Amino acid sequence: SSCFCTKHLVTLPTNTMVVSSHSGVAAISLALLLLQNVNALSITESSRAQTARSRLSEAFRSPSKKLTLHPEIVLPEPSDPTALLLRASEVTKLSQILRTRAKASAVFVEGTVDALAPMGKEQEDARGNFPGPVPIVYSLTDSANLSSSLEELQTVDGVEGVMLSFFGGKEIDSVDAYLEEAKDSAITDMCSAIWDAGLQPIPELVLSPGSEWSEEDVERLVDAVKDTCGGLDPVSIVFTNGETADSEEDEESNEEEEEEDSTPALSIPASVSKRTAFIGSIRTNAGGGRMNLATSQLSTDKFNGAFLRADCVPGYRLNPDLNVVGGFWSAAMGELKSLKSKSFSFRSKVKLEKDVPMEWYNYQKDIMESGSLGKPSGGPDPTLNSEGGDYKGF
């Protein structure tokens, strides 16, 4: 009896210490978990920001896995008072063209918030109609103006996000380079301010030309971007290749190499693509099928969408006529989405109410005369007026 009591008197404290030890480990593990997720808890999305995330996610991703197209619009700031009065109607017309004819998935807009307002109103007024409104992403050109821009954007309908060029557009060639730049960055506070305004921050990363990113690199990079944003995955990340510094003399000789390097070289893991939409920038000049080639490359590399920069529009810097811009994007995006052959076009004279064999003969004759099947002499089409704005494929 005394031995039995002695045994339990000795064993009881030992077992008590074991239980206490397990409780301590659990408490420490919980504390570490909370510390690891402190950043994620520091930023939360408002209901308005969650709505913006939903709208942008739907715009950036196609249910059929096709590449979504997003043109960039640079709204000029006219100095002429008359042009300033006419700008609102021109921007409204452009907005309608992008929505109904070009059928853009989303629109990135650079310019003043005042210039953007008519476009936002036109898109918001289309809610409930078909085609419906196109989400607008405001491109912030100067981070110093973020606070004032957000204050103004909160009064503009239709705007769902703000694109931030991380590190002032400085090129990065590795994850380590990104982490080094992010050390003393104020981007976390900027993203928090955008979320607080009910919008979505969209990071733009400028990659060094020729740099290649493996699946492991891309996963680490997206994780790093998430931490920089404050612990939340951004709805999308825009990847842009840095511009090469080739001289004019070398442009023609390096044309093929530049076309190959016009899109970011990323190996995108499926697991990471589910977290955020991958948007690739295209800056190639229109014509010669270059835009088609670039969008095809992005699709092959499993990007979700293509950011069609204003650089694609011929002469947009010298003459930013919004009517011309609207017409260009309507034609270009229509062809980029088309499944038809991009190599030729012709007019058919087939009219079934007439003699069918004869009309079929005319149809075949039109094809032969159009040169769609090739010409023995070769060379460029003499009827193609490049200087006048004619393009053989986008």
Side-chain angles (χ1 to χ4, degrees):
S1 175
S2 60
C3 291
F4 176 83
C5 293
T6 303
K7 179 180 179 182
H8 280 74
L9 285 172
V10 174
T11 305
L12 184 59
T14 304
N15 290 338
T16 302
M17 288 298 293
V18 171
V19 172
S20 176
S21 175
H22 282 298
S23 299
V25 171
I28 293 173
S29 299
L30 179 61
L32 289 174
L33 183 62
L34 291 174
L35 286 174
Q36 289 175 355
N37 290 278
V38 67
N39 286 334
L41 296 174
S42 63
I43 292 181
T44 56
E45 291 181 305
S46 63
S47 59
R48 174 65 184 87
Q50 291 175 0
T51 300
R53 177 181 286 271
S54 175
R55 290 173 178 172
L56 287 173
S57 180
E58 183 178 352
F60 290 148
R61 298 175 183 273
S62 169
S64 60
K65 308 298 182 182
K66 293 181 180 179
L67 198 71
T68 56
L69 302 178
H70 319 284
E72 178 183 39
I73 304 298
V74 179
L75 297 178
E77 190 63 25
S79 56
D80 184 88
T82 303
L84 186 61
L85 292 174
L86 295 175
R87 183 182 63 183
S89 61
E90 291 180 353
V91 172
T92 300
K93 181 180 179 182
L94 173 62
S95 176
Q96 187 177 16
I97 291 175
L98 294 174
R99 179 173 59 83
T100 60
R101 289 169 51 188
K103 293 181 173 58
S105 298
V107 180
F108 288 73
V109 181
E110 178 184 321
T112 63
V113 178
D114 288 339
L116 170 64
M119 180 178 291
K121 184 179 185 306
E122 195 281 328
Q123 295 295 339
E124 191 62 27
D125 289 347
R127 197 166 299 283
N129 298 332
F130 182 82
V134 175
I136 298 173
V137 177
Y138 181 69
S139 298
L140 186 70
T141 55
D142 187 356
S143 59
N145 297 330
L146 176 62
S147 298
S148 59
S149 296
L150 288 177
E151 186 176 349
E152 295 177 15
L153 285 172
Q154 287 180 309
T155 64
V156 178
D157 295 325
V159 179
E160 310 292 351
V162 177
M163 186 177 75
L164 296 173
S165 187
F166 275 24
F167 320 129
K170 185 175 181 180
E171 297 175 3
I172 58 172
D173 57 6
S174 65
V175 180
D176 292 337
Y178 175 92
L179 295 173
E180 184 65 27
E181 292 293 334
K183 282 183 179 179
D184 302 320
S185 173
I187 294 177
T188 303
D189 294 334
M190 296 172 66
C191 291
S192 178
I194 294 172
W195 268 309
D196 289 342
L199 304 173
Q200 288 292 323
I202 299 180
E204 180 191 23
L205 302 182
V206 181
L207 309 181
S208 298
S211 60
E212 296 184 359
W213 300 74
S214 65
E215 289 191 358
E216 182 182 355
D217 293 333
V218 172
E219 186 170 4
R220 289 182 58 209
L221 182 62
V222 172
D223 288 339
V225 172
K226 175 182 177 181
D227 292 339
T228 305
C229 290
L232 286 177
D233 275 320
V235 65
S236 172
I237 302 176
V238 174
F239 294 90
T240 302
N241 260 9
E243 297 183 8
T244 56
D246 291 330
S247 62
E248 295 183 0
E249 297 179 357
D250 296 334
E251 280 187 7
E252 294 184 1
S253 60
N254 294 335
E255 184 176 351
E256 294 183 0
E257 295 180 5
E258 289 178 2
E259 289 180 6
E260 292 177 357
D261 296 337
S262 62
T263 57
L266 300 180
S267 298
I268 303 174
S271 58
V272 179
S273 183
K274 294 178 181 178
R275 293 167 45 188
T276 186
F278 284 74
I279 307 296
S281 285
I282 294 178
R283 279 180 166 154
T284 184
N285 293 327
R290 288 185 290 270
M291 291 180 66
N292 266 303
L293 178 63
T295 54
S296 297
Q297 186 60 52
L298 288 179
S299 182
T300 300
D301 292 341
K302 300 180 181 178
F303 278 82
N304 301 104
F307 180 18
L308 306 174
R309 308 302 287 254
D311 306 71
C312 299
V313 184
Y316 84 100
R317 294 285 186 190
L318 300 176
N319 182 27
D321 188 322
L322 296 185
N323 291 325
V324 174
V325 170
F328 172 84
W329 285 124
S330 179
M333 295 179 65
E335 181 171 326
L336 293 176
K337 292 181 179 181
S338 174
L339 298 178
K340 298 178 182 178
S341 172
K342 308 297 191 302
S343 60
F344 67 92
S345 62
F346 59 89
R347 294 186 179 91
S348 172
K349 295 180 181 177
V350 174
K351 295 180 181 178
L352 296 180
E353 67 269 20
K354 295 186 178 182
D355 182 60
V356 174
M358 180 57 69
E359 297 305 327
W360 178 251
Y361 166 79
N362 290 335
Y363 176 79
Q364 296 292 337
K365 184 178 179 181
D366 280 347
I367 295 179
M368 297 297 294
E369 291 178 349
S370 71
S372 59
L373 301 181
K375 295 182 180 180
S377 59
D381 186 349
T383 63
L384 194 68
N385 181 13
S386 300
E387 294 181 359
D390 291 347
Y391 292 92
K392 194 173 182 66
F394 286 89

